[in-house]
Amino acid sequence: MPISSILVALGKIPDAELAALTLSRAMRAAEVPAGLRFSLSRRLEKEFWDVWPRMGLQAQVHFYGEREGFAGALEDSASHMLLLTGEYDFGPKWDQELLRRFAKTARREALLTGMIGAADGAYPPQAYLPGLSERFEAEGAKIVRGLPLVESAAPPPTMVVCPGLIFARTETLRRMDLRPETLSFAAYASAIPVYVLDRPVLWPLREEPPALLRRPLREVLPGTTLARFEQLAGFREGPPEDRRSDLRTRWGCLPGRKRMPSSRQPPFCGKNRSSAFCPKAVASASRFW
């Protein structure tokens, strides 16, 4: 087995044939197809094995329960996991390029997320910074496209996790609550830095409705932690029901680096720390993520 193996877990695939086609595209484009494994919803299992022989490929495929969601795939022993929502296409040697971009973060416990625009006629797929809509509505803030990324040297940091594309070491994802609407808060509370995939090494076949970022309940995440996240993400001060984002947040949610006086720093940040991601989360928060 290759030193780095990747488990590709697919969610929100409507039927087994589309799932089989996605797996086929991934394997045919991979540089090391033997290093790939796949995980699908258990509701597709019977139909999938009826369809898969027509693809003419061999693959290791496991199935997770609907109630478990992606967390049910974490039992696999693959070194890395790629969580995808919907149908995707894959560029040449996408698997090794994804590992190389991940290595550029220079962080073992990092999470690589992606805001990739689908191909549109003559326009190829495009990577973007993830941004947030101007304000938190009742249902949450929409995760939207920010500025396009063009030939960056390394994946840039971000405060926002796009639930449709997540790549990390399996051991890192095991520490997180993988509910899609609160992933950004979960990464922050667990002190896991988030970076943006800056190359369209894989891309969705069609545009999906914007994912939502929801505020966790205050009994789940302390108010000071929540407020610090919003400050670093670029939300202006105001009542929670009318919290608005600044232009930086809408164009691409990069971590803020403004230093706070040590007397005002929240308890999960060490003294004189200016980084958006502190070395460890407050104990009361980490219990829930």
Side-chain angles (χ1 to χ4, degrees):
M1 179 180 293
I3 295 176
S4 295
S5 53
I6 300 175
L7 175 71
V8 183
L10 300 177
K12 294 188 178 180
I13 297 285
D15 60 63
E17 183 160 3
L18 294 178
L21 288 170
T22 301
L23 267 63
S24 175
R25 287 190 293 267
M27 293 195 67
R28 294 182 191 280
E31 183 176 355
V32 188
L36 300 180
R37 307 175 191 176
F38 299 92
S39 188
L40 302 171
S41 170
R42 192 165 289 132
R43 67 178 173 80
L44 302 175
E45 184 172 5
K46 183 178 183 302
E47 186 183 353
F48 176 83
W49 291 124
D50 292 336
V51 173
W52 182 246
R54 301 204 307 259
M55 303 297 158
L57 296 169
Q58 292 186 347
Q60 298 182 57
V61 185
H62 307 282
F63 298 87
Y64 59 82
E66 285 290 298
R67 291 186 178 181
E68 300 171 294
F70 283 146
L74 295 177
E75 297 177 1
D76 194 274
S77 59
S79 62
H80 295 74
M81 287 192 67
L82 174 63
L83 311 181
L84 299 175
T85 299
E87 294 179 80
Y88 271 75
D89 203 352
F90 302 82
K93 302 181 180 181
W94 67 271
D95 52 332
Q96 299 308 300
E97 180 62 18
L98 188 59
L99 288 166
R100 283 191 286 270
R101 300 317 293 168
F102 182 79
K104 288 281 187 179
T105 67
R107 300 289 293 271
R108 181 178 177 84
E109 277 215 334
L111 190 150
L112 195 62
T113 190
M115 174 67 74
I116 311 292
D120 183 10
Y123 296 97
Q126 173 65 53
Y128 296 87
L129 285 170
L132 293 175
S133 54
E134 183 178 0
R135 60 180 295 176
F136 271 101
E137 306 291 348
E139 68 277 11
K142 293 179 181 178
I143 300 176
V144 298
R145 289 180 186 174
L147 294 173
L149 292 167
V150 181
E151 295 298 324
S152 53
T158 181
M159 297 289 293
V160 174
V161 178
C162 302
L165 196 165
I166 299 170
F167 184 73
R169 293 182 182 274
T170 304
E171 63 193 44
T172 299
L173 293 176
R174 287 191 181 118
R175 295 207 298 115
M176 294 182 61
D177 185 321
L178 294 180
R179 285 176 292 180
E181 67 275 9
T182 53
L183 271 169
S184 302
F185 295 106
Y188 178 68
S190 300
I192 296 172
V194 183
Y195 296 86
V196 186
L197 179 60
D198 54 334
R199 308 286 170 84
V201 299
L202 65 161
W203 56 90
L205 288 185
R206 57 187 56 84
E207 298 295 334
E208 298 287 342
L212 289 177
L213 173 66
R214 298 182 189 273
R215 279 195 185 90
L217 298 175
R218 288 187 177 270
E219 56 266 29
V220 173
L221 192 66
T224 53
T225 306
L226 182 59
R228 177 64 170 159
F229 175 91
E230 292 184 350
Q231 179 191 47
L232 293 168
F235 279 84
R236 298 194 297 271
E237 291 297 325
E241 66 276 7
D242 192 35
R243 192 65 55 84
R244 295 174 182 269
S245 62
D246 61 18
L247 191 61
R248 172 174 62 85
T249 302
R250 297 195 293 275
W251 280 3
C253 203
L254 298 172
R257 296 186 177 273
K258 183 178 179 181
R259 186 183 299 274
M260 294 178 65
S262 58
S263 61
R264 295 182 58 193
Q265 285 180 352
F268 52 88
C269 284
K271 186 176 181 181
N272 294 329
R273 292 204 175 266
S274 58
S275 172
F277 300 101
C278 302
K280 59 181 179 179
V282 64
S284 59
S286 61
R287 288 201 304 271
F288 299 98
W289 299 103

